[in-house]
Amino acid sequence: MRNLALFFLLFTCCGLLLAQGNLKALVGGTLIDGYGSAPIQNSVILIEGERIKAVGTVGTLEVPEGADVISTEGMSVLPGLWDMHVHTMINGHADYAYWDKTYPPLLKDVIMPASAHQLLMAGVTSARDLGGPLDESLAVRDAINKGELPGATLYVSGPFIQHAPYPGTEAFRWGVNGAEDGRRKIRRLAEAGVDFIKLVDQDQMTMEELRAVVEEAHKNGLKVVAHGHRPEEIRRGLEVGVDCFEHTGLSSAPRYPEDVMEMIRERTAQMNLGPLFWCPTVEGLYNYEYVRDNPEKLDNDSWHLGLPDSVIADIRQSIEHPDRLPYFQLTPSRRPTLKTKIRQLLDAGVVLLVGTDSGIPMKFHSQSTWNELDVWVNEFGIDPMYAIRAATYWPALWTGVADEVGTITPGKYADIIAVDGDVLRYVSLLQDVDLVIKRGRQYK
Ligand SMILES: [Zn+2]
């Protein structure tokens, strides 16, 4: 009998705690809601469970009694960031051939979860994972969505689709041998449940194969993300209607050729097709020489989160000599092309998305995303509100989840970050996000 009473007491207490913990109020900060209009001063955001219940201001929106109040005074409050180009299967190690041989057994349980967790702690609540082994990608995505792992919400492509896998990469790169083979592989990915298709080297496929892949993807409701490294990749991608281009090119050619620009303008004029999206991934290249000469940031231990000491040591020794990495030798010649090409794309009416190639040598998931915003704003002169929307509103729209995330709007998931100071004036404040809430749960 006494036990029963105790049980009810506990039950009631827990119930009360739950009710209180269920309602949060972010009070006082300047809200950038993701739509692009002037920020809302002295904002109040009510969060109930996983979702945003109401948005208003101090004085117009009352904070209900019992709500868990989090002061955002002095802070910028904004939607959780998106990074539209990450590689959770890599963690900054400089030697891909070695990594691909050594770490496949750890990808699902260690490497990919660590990447997703690091992204989240950096304020990245959603990310597009562009290329990885199929089962592992799906398992990590689903475990995060079920709340079993802390991490950014992932949207995954599974394996790269390309002409032929590079030797030793067959586990996460699928070659296409003929149109029918292409269709079959896309159907397999669709049935497995990937979120979109990642296409690379499409200039090496036959047009028949390329058309089949994109058609089959679209038939199955999957968008196609394609590399835009080489002019011919862009030409072909535009011809078959891919849905987003990545990167700005590996060569040192100073700008996009005029015929390519003509095709891009032709495409952006067709509003019935929606905007033309492009994820230029510039920061890793743009900042290479800076990091090479100022490697202190590589010692920041934010990228150790979730990784065993042995893996940390392994990554660290691989980047001990940033100046010697083959990956970056041409980068100084490419650097000046980045600003020119970004300008060309913007002038042609392309909508840019924030993405970073996070995971490539020396580029850690804990640091990449804010650097991309910083380069856009402080080096290329892009409006900070444009940059923030390229990391919030537009990515959610592209992904087809704009009803659920991407802005701070009642009814949507509470994916919200806050940072001390004014991010519209000093966008690099995003390197140290003070508050991270994903689906209503506070992680930082
Ligand atoms: Zn990439």
Side-chain angles (χ1 to χ4, degrees):
M1 199 60 194
R2 186 148 18 107
N3 279 346
L4 199 64
L6 192 64
F7 174 78
F8 276 114
L9 187 68
L10 273 173
F11 187 77
T12 317
C13 286
C14 289
L16 267 173
L17 282 172
L18 274 178
Q20 281 181 354
N22 210 18
L23 195 63
K24 291 187 185 69
L26 308 183
V27 180
T30 295
L31 171 62
I32 298 158
D33 66 6
Y35 286 109
S37 58
I40 300 160
Q41 313 289 326
N42 303 312
S43 64
V44 175
I45 303 166
L46 299 182
I47 300 166
E48 187 171 50
E50 295 188 313
R51 292 185 185 265
I52 297 162
K53 186 180 162 73
V55 179
T57 57
V58 175
T60 65
L61 178 60
E62 207 185 323
V63 176
E65 201 151 341
D68 179 6
V69 176
I70 300 169
S71 171
T72 53
E73 288 294 352
M75 293 182 170
S76 302
V77 181
L78 55 161
L81 301 177
W82 286 63
D83 191 317
M84 291 297 269
H85 194 130
V86 306
H87 296 287
T88 62
M89 66 170 286
I90 46 179
N91 281 128
H93 196 288
D95 186 344
Y96 287 162
Y98 166 83
W99 186 267
D100 295 342
K101 268 203 297 280
T102 311
Y103 288 109
L106 291 189
L107 291 181
K108 178 165 85 68
D109 294 321
V110 178
I111 305 294
M112 297 167 89
S115 304
H117 195 187
Q118 290 179 20
L119 285 163
L120 181 64
M121 299 318 277
V124 178
T125 52
S126 306
R128 204 169 61 169
D129 197 4
L130 291 174
L134 180 58
D135 294 341
E136 289 86 336
S137 297
L138 296 171
V140 174
R141 178 196 68 184
D142 295 347
I144 291 170
N145 283 339
K146 282 187 211 146
E148 294 164 7
L149 289 175
T153 303
L154 297 178
Y155 298 90
V156 306
S157 68
F160 298 79
I161 294 296
Q162 58 192 92
H163 169 62
Y166 319 131
T169 65
E170 292 77 3
F172 56 92
R173 295 180 181 275
W174 288 4
V176 169
N177 186 8
E180 200 33 57
D181 184 49
R183 286 187 195 280
R184 203 166 37 236
K185 285 184 168 131
I186 298 301
R187 275 199 298 271
R188 230 177 104 193
L189 292 174
E191 279 159 22
V194 301
D195 299 294
F196 49 83
I197 299 298
K198 172 77 180 287
L199 181 63
V200 304
D201 296 346
Q202 63 267 21
D203 53 346
Q204 294 167 23
M205 289 179 166
T206 68
M207 275 313 278
E208 205 197 354
E209 289 168 340
L210 177 56
R211 273 213 179 81
V213 161
V214 174
E215 250 178 47
E216 193 65 34
H218 287 167
K219 214 196 297 176
N220 284 277
L222 299 175
K223 289 185 173 175
V224 179
V225 181
H227 267 182
H229 275 314
R230 295 179 289 274
E232 190 59 15
E233 280 183 309
I234 302 171
R235 291 188 192 104
R236 287 177 168 216
L238 286 167
E239 210 176 313
V240 298
V242 304
D243 302 283
C244 191
F245 285 102
E246 305 301 298
H247 313 303
T248 58
L250 291 167
S251 78
S252 52
R255 52 173 53 80
Y256 294 116
E258 196 38 48
D259 75 296
V260 166
M261 291 312 302
E262 194 49 52
M263 285 183 81
I264 291 174
R265 285 189 292 266
E266 191 69 36
R267 167 63 183 79
T268 55
Q270 287 179 279
M271 198 46 214
N272 54 318
L273 299 175
L276 176 60
F277 291 98
W278 208 295
C279 186
T281 69
V282 290
E283 84 88 3
L285 306 173
Y286 194 87
N287 286 328
Y288 163 66
E289 289 157 277
Y290 171 78
V291 174
R292 179 192 66 193
D293 301 337
N294 302 275
E296 189 61 40
K297 79 186 265 186
L298 301 176
D299 293 339
N300 180 307
D301 65 4
S302 58
W303 62 270
H304 299 181
L305 181 67
L307 295 175
D309 289 346
S310 59
V311 178
I312 295 167
D314 199 2
I315 295 169
R316 201 189 260 139
Q317 64 77 26
S318 82
I319 56 176
E320 204 180 343
H321 299 288
D323 58 322
R324 299 182 195 169
L325 303 182
Y327 189 94
F328 290 106
Q329 293 304 311
L330 190 63
T331 300
S333 316
R334 294 167 63 190
R335 185 164 171 264
T337 72
L338 298 171
K339 188 173 184 177
T340 309
K341 288 177 161 179
I342 290 268
R343 197 24 70 199
Q344 281 184 292
L345 293 175
L346 283 171
D347 287 346
V350 166
V351 174
L352 300 183
L353 301 176
V354 163
T356 57
D357 233 1
S358 192
I360 64 171
M362 298 194 296
K363 288 295 142 186
F364 304 120
H365 301 289
S366 58
Q367 298 174 338
S368 296
T369 314
W370 77 266
N371 271 295
E372 184 79 12
L373 284 134
D374 179 67
V375 169
W376 286 25
V377 172
N378 291 319
E379 303 294 324
F380 298 167
I382 292 175
D383 175 53
M385 188 64 93
Y386 182 102
I388 287 171
R389 277 166 55 74
T392 54
Y393 175 85
W394 287 115
L397 186 96
W398 187 91
T399 308
V401 292
D403 292 344
E404 298 283 12
V405 275
T407 62
I408 296 183
T409 313
K412 291 192 187 183
Y413 281 125
D415 285 7
I416 301 172
I417 62 171
V419 59
D420 252 321
D422 181 357
V423 292
L424 290 176
R425 178 67 179 81
Y426 304 105
V427 81
S428 63
L429 287 170
L430 288 169
Q431 70 190 277
D432 192 10
V433 169
D434 295 281
L435 176 76
V436 178
I437 292 174
K438 196 194 81 171
R439 300 203 170 174
R441 185 162 155 206
Q442 189 176 346
Y443 288 89
K444 191 173 181 185

